């Protein structure tokens, strides 16, 4: 499909309007409903060390101790962003969210312009852009001091470069390397982006050329990551970064966490079984009855937790951690099918189907409200119920639409449109990876949501009866 042509160019006024539509709700939520939550304290501590002491560390910034760290829960991309914002705007509590909202609005606009060039129809592209601009699943995240808004913007940048590759029939290595590196430094689990990038390379190039470009691209992204890995290991850190960091700085109990992973399926099980670890408040740990597969296991765990409570305020005892590791190994040996297949499938489903998730909107239900009768809860909290139901239905509808289009192609024995194929493959891969890592909060799929929304446009055009065969609908080679 040609890259130029009047119908494939979005008029500047339309692009400006789309930018404003994407920015307004995100900026409003960032200004009026700013929030720090969960990992925010870790990111802020690293950011303040970068700003005040010029080091990547989780030490108390006031102490200037600068004990080396990988960068918080990930590489230091997001803390660097926070530090830069603080250098410009000082301690303004809404500056980070407002800046992220601005960057994400620009990314939506850029990706929509790239999509218009690909499909050669600015009206269809604008429809997809509006869907991404007003998405109820991404709009609220700019209000949080978390990675989701910035990661979504970087992922949209990379998506736009892939759309430009389809339009040009050529993978541009440098912008993809920059986008991929930025994504990896903000969230290490951005490694799943390898799937759509490699698929695009093979769609638009011969196998030999695709391999060459993927190799060069991989080396360019690996170089800065490798340098950061070398710095971290040389500073005495573990070769594999810990994705869960806590303010105490104590080593995390690998055995206990491994045992948790034999039953965790929902983000709402974290507060009792995981969060107290972060402050060493073991006396506050609680485990639901669904965690136990036998009375013997329940008795052993309760005895261990009782003993553990006496160690509150100190590092997790090694012998108790080893006992939990043994329980985890025994459970996996006793029920391999459930542990290796059924539980990961449930976790992957929870990422997309969670009736209690608020998608970042400033509405919440306490644990007691969630445990009450659903109808009673909805009547008492109508706005909250509408937000949760609406975002839940929208999330499921996106997944059903993507899966339905792929299934329709298979049933009709038609080639799956390339853009649809790579987005569906990426969604599947990311769901599997997150489920295996037990990263089961729906926010971890937020950066993928704009991809799903924008992919509906080339898919609809390619499958439209009047659509002409083009690179958009090219089959896999």
């Amino acid at each position: 499909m040609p890259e130029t042509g009047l119908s494939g160019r979005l008029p500047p006024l339309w692009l400006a309007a789309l930018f404003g539509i994407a920015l307004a709700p995100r900026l409003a939520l960032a200004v009026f409903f700013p929030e720090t939550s969960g990992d925010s304290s870790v990111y802020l501590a690293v950011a303040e060390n970068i700003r005040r002491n010029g080091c990547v560390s989780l030490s108390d910034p006031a102490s200037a101790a600068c004990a080396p760290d990988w960068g918080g829960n990930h590489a230091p991309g997001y803390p660097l962003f926070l530090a830069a914002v603080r250098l410009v705007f000082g301690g303004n509590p809404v500056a980070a969210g407002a800046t992220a909202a601005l960057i994400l609005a620009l990314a939506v606009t850029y990706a929509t312009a790239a999509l218009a060039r690909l499909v050669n129809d600015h009206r269809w592209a604008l429809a997809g852009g509006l869907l991404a601009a007003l998405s109820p699943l991404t709009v609220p995240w700019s209000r949080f001091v978390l990675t989701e808004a910035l990661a979504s913007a970087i992922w949209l940048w990379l998506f736009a470069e892939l759309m430009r590759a389809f339009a040009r029939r050529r993978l541009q290595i440098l912008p993809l390397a920059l986008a991929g590196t930025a994504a990896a430094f903000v969230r290490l689990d951005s490694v799943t982006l390898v799937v759509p990038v490699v698929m695009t390379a093979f769609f638009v190039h011969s196998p030999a050329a695709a391999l060459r470009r993927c190799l060069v691209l991989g080396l360019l992204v690996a170089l800065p990551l490798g340098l950061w890995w070398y710095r971290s290991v040389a500073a005495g850190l573990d070769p594999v970064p810990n994705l869960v960091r806590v303010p105490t700085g104590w080593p995390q109990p690998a055995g206990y966490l491994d045992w948790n992973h034999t039953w965790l399926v929902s983000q709402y099980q974290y507060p009792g079984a995981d969060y107290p670890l972060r402050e060493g408040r073991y006396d506050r740990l609680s485990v639901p009855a669904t965690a136990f597969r036998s009375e013997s296991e329940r008795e052993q765990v309760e005895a261990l937790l009782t003993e553990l409570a006496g160690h509150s305020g100190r590092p997790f005892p090694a012998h108790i951690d080893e006992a939990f590791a043994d329980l985890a190994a025994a459970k996996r040996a006793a029920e391999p099918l459930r542990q290796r297949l059924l539980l990961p499938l449930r976790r992957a489903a929870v990422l997309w189907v969670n009736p209690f998730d608020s998608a970042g909107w400033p509405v919440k239900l306490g644990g007691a409200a969630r445990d009450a009768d659903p109808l009673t809860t909805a009547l008492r909290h109508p706005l909250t119920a509408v937000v949760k139901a609406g975002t839940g239905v929208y999330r499921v509808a996106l997944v059903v639409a993507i899966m339905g289009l792929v299934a329709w192609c298979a049933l009709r024995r038609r080639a799956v449109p390339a853009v649809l194929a790579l987005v569906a493959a990426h969604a599947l891969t990311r769901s599997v990876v997150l489920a295996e890592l037990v990263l089961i909060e729906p926010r971890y799929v937020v950066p993928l949501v704009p991809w799903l929304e924008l992919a509906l446009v080339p898919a609809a055009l390619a499958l439209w009866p009047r659509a002409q065969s083009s690179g958009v609908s090219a089959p896999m080679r």
Side-chain angles (χ1 to χ4, degrees):
M1 189 169 289
E3 186 190 4
T4 59
L6 183 60
S7 63
R9 293 182 183 273
L10 274 167
L13 186 60
W14 289 28
L15 288 173
L18 180 65
F19 169 75
I21 291 170
L23 177 63
R26 291 172 171 83
L27 186 60
L29 285 166
V31 170
F32 294 109
F33 299 96
E35 187 167 337
T36 56
S37 175
D39 301 331
S40 298
S41 60
V42 174
Y43 295 127
L44 289 169
V46 177
E48 192 63 7
N49 267 309
I50 293 173
R51 187 183 72 86
R52 293 175 59 174
N53 304 315
C55 63
V56 176
S57 173
L58 261 177
S59 301
D60 180 3
S63 71
C66 282
D69 190 81
W70 273 94
N73 287 0
H74 295 277
Y78 187 63
L80 278 169
F81 164 76
L82 294 177
V85 170
R86 288 197 166 194
L87 282 174
V88 176
F89 298 104
N92 190 322
V94 305
T99 305
L102 175 67
I103 295 172
L104 183 50
L106 286 170
V108 168
T109 307
Y110 180 64
T112 303
L115 184 63
R117 291 293 187 92
L118 172 64
V119 301
N120 209 31
D121 189 317
H122 61 260
R123 295 165 301 179
W124 277 85
L126 187 63
L130 287 171
L131 199 62
L134 296 173
S135 172
L137 301 182
T138 62
V139 163
W141 288 102
S142 297
R143 71 189 190 91
F144 287 91
V145 182
L146 294 171
T147 60
E148 275 62 41
L150 186 62
S152 296
I154 297 171
W155 280 37
L156 269 173
W157 172 21
L158 190 141
F159 180 83
E161 298 305 331
L162 296 183
M163 297 306 97
R164 290 166 66 85
F166 277 110
R168 293 177 171 178
R169 308 302 299 172
R170 181 181 178 83
L171 207 67
Q172 297 293 108
I173 293 177
L174 183 58
L176 279 172
L178 292 173
T181 301
F185 269 90
V186 170
R187 290 198 64 89
L188 290 172
D189 53 32
S190 294
V191 65
T192 56
L193 289 168
V194 169
V195 172
V197 170
V198 170
M199 289 179 67
T200 302
F202 280 88
F203 274 130
V204 302
H205 291 288
S206 67
L211 284 172
R212 287 195 301 270
R213 288 185 171 270
C214 287
L215 179 61
V216 173
L217 179 57
L219 290 173
L220 288 176
V221 173
L223 179 61
L225 288 172
L227 290 174
W228 187 248
W229 178 88
Y230 176 78
R231 166 266 177 195
S232 300
V233 173
L237 299 176
D238 292 335
V240 179
N242 187 350
L243 297 184
V244 180
R245 302 308 309 275
V246 296
T248 61
W250 296 334
Q252 289 301 281
Y256 174 77
L257 294 176
D258 191 36
W259 178 77
N260 277 357
H261 293 175
T262 65
W263 58 269
L264 274 169
V265 293
S266 167
Q267 71 186 84
Y268 300 111
Q269 295 168 329
Y270 280 141
D274 185 275
Y275 291 171
L277 289 175
R278 306 186 182 197
E279 297 178 352
R281 295 303 307 270
Y282 311 130
D283 55 317
R284 296 184 178 180
L285 288 172
S286 62
V287 176
T290 53
F292 309 120
R293 301 293 289 176
S294 68
E295 183 64 19
S296 172
E297 182 187 20
R298 184 188 65 78
E299 292 175 354
Q300 292 179 70
V301 170
E302 288 181 351
L304 289 170
L305 291 178
T306 299
E307 180 184 354
L308 179 62
H311 296 269
S312 291
R314 289 174 284 172
F316 201 105
H319 72 281
I320 297 180
D321 194 40
E322 291 172 3
F324 274 109
D326 292 340
L327 285 173
K331 183 179 276 190
R332 290 198 174 93
E335 44 184 40
L337 179 62
R338 181 175 182 272
Q339 293 294 324
R340 300 300 180 188
L341 180 61
L342 300 183
L343 269 179
L345 285 176
R346 286 185 62 190
R347 291 178 187 132
V350 166
L351 287 169
W352 299 100
V353 183
N354 188 333
F356 297 114
D357 183 59
S358 301
W361 290 93
V363 294
K364 291 182 178 179
L365 286 177
R370 284 196 302 269
D371 294 337
D373 174 68
L375 180 58
T376 302
T377 301
L379 292 175
R380 290 178 178 174
H381 308 274
L383 177 59
T384 300
V386 168
V387 170
K388 289 178 179 290
T391 55
V393 169
Y394 183 81
R395 187 187 294 109
V396 172
L398 270 180
V399 175
V400 169
I402 296 295
M403 293 174 60
L405 286 170
V406 172
W408 187 88
C409 292
L411 291 173
R412 295 293 186 103
R413 296 184 179 179
R414 294 187 59 173
V416 178
V419 175
L420 177 62
L422 69 91
V423 170
H426 187 202
L428 178 62
T429 303
R430 185 160 182 81
S431 299
V432 170
V433 169
L434 292 175
E436 285 295 326
L437 295 175
V438 199
L439 298 172
I440 48 181
E441 296 182 49
R443 69 184 178 95
Y444 295 132
V445 297
V446 165
L448 183 58
V449 167
W451 288 46
L452 302 179
E453 292 163 335
L454 292 172
L456 293 175
V457 173
L461 277 176
L463 298 175
W464 198 262
R466 298 179 183 177
Q468 299 296 317
S469 177
S470 67
V472 179
S473 58
M476 285 191 180
R477 302 181 202 186

